[in-house]
Amino acid sequence: MIQMKKLFLAITLILALALTFSPCAFAEKESADNAASEMDELTASVFETVRENCPIDASFAKHIKCSKASDGTVTMSFDTVYGHFIYKLDATGKKILEKDEPDIEAARAQKGFKEPIDHDELMRLMFEACPIGSGRTENLKVSMQEDDTYLIRFGSVYGDFRYLMDIFTGEILEKEEPDIEAARAQKGFKEPIEAEDALDSVFAVSPLKRGLEQNIKVSRKGSDNWVVSFTSAYGDFRYVVDRYSGKVLEKTEPDMDAAAGKADFQKPVDPDNVTEIVFSQCPISSWQASKIKSKKSKDGNWTVTFGSDFGDFTYVVDGKTGEILEKQEPDVEAIRAAGTVKEKLSPPDAIKIAVEAASVPRKEAQDVNVAFKPDNTYAVTFKTDAGKYMYVLDAYTGEIKDSMTP
């Protein structure tokens, strides 16, 4: 069972940061000048490099300045609640050559110091209150104000939005929102799809099974349509999805058969059998587990978690080899020896009790199905020539709680 994580934070990062800081320190108006445009792109690249290497979240930086020297090096500086930062980078904006950073811990130790909340959490709170999802925003721009409030502005097919937020509490101090229902009522209005819908469209046509993708990115940068890209063991995939219909307009896919035919190819772990790998080495059976969840991390490995009457289990499975890299298990044998846990009946035992209660030979019971219910019961169903049978029994004692017979 795959737990698909929502793309909210990733999409917010692409829309709110990659686009927001493109014009960064050079005002918020577009410039037709080519040199200024190139500088804008360099500034965006520099800021992303700085964000990745800065000891604090630089998303709340203000007074951002970026300049290029005659030797091609780039200097970026900005202020934060922790102090002033200065970074000198190479001409590509990808490598930091020198840096001057304030003492973060000393700043935190100052009387009255307030720590900003996480930027992604601030954006989550904003979109939680916003009547549209992050995937329906256009030209999202953010900027720190002199009083350390955070101004978030973006357009949409419904109109323009504006939010002023407290970076320390996440409180929305001011907001301006368009009349969405009035916009929808306009003749010719088209409702855009969300990023999750774009993903659904992509995997409906992609030859790659969902769950085998890595480094997935969903954006509209440079396009009014959704652009979905991801890597895999077979190669790189890229799709352009119509923003309104969800139709895949363009696609670039690797030759998966050719990739799989290479001598050094290592088939990735299928998302459908990662739990099978775990239970092949787990001290309990899958029917004894509850709330099974599997999640793929950025490094391509799988984390499988579940509960049980014995306690909680966690496994980390190598996404390429299927090897269990880490595990956390309760001492099942010790618990069994102590007799402190009453174990559930196995599904075959539940079926046997139900069939015997029906007084029919086991071979005459057809389409047998057993399901564990949240109230700690098994629902066993089957049919014979006489009709359909259903038994609900206590999953621990086998006591029949309810039944339906022909």
Side-chain angles (χ1 to χ4, degrees), residues 336-358:
R336 279 176 172 150
T340 55
V341 168
K342 190 171 185 178
E343 296 190 48
K344 285 188 294 200
L345 297 169
S346 70
D349 286 339
I351 293 171
K352 181 180 179 182
I353 292 172
V355 172
E356 288 180 350

Side-chain angles (χ1 to χ4, degrees), residues 233-269:
Y234 301 90
D236 298 336
F237 293 76
R238 183 180 183 276
Y239 299 85
V240 177
V241 182
D242 186 279
R243 187 185 174 195
Y244 299 97
S245 69
K247 180 181 179 181
V248 175
L249 305 174
E250 301 174 22
K251 60 181 179 179
T252 303
E253 301 169 339
D255 186 333
M256 294 178 61
D257 291 334
K262 293 181 179 179
D264 60 347
F265 179 78
Q266 197 163 35
K267 186 177 180 181
V269 173

Side-chain angles (χ1 to χ4, degrees), residues 16 36 92 128 139 181 190 193 279 306-307 313 338 347 372-373:
T92 67
E128 190 175 74
N139 302 317
E181 292 310 313
K190 292 191 295 183
I193 65 170
F279 284 109
F306 51 89
F313 292 76
F372 181 72
K373 301 297 183 180

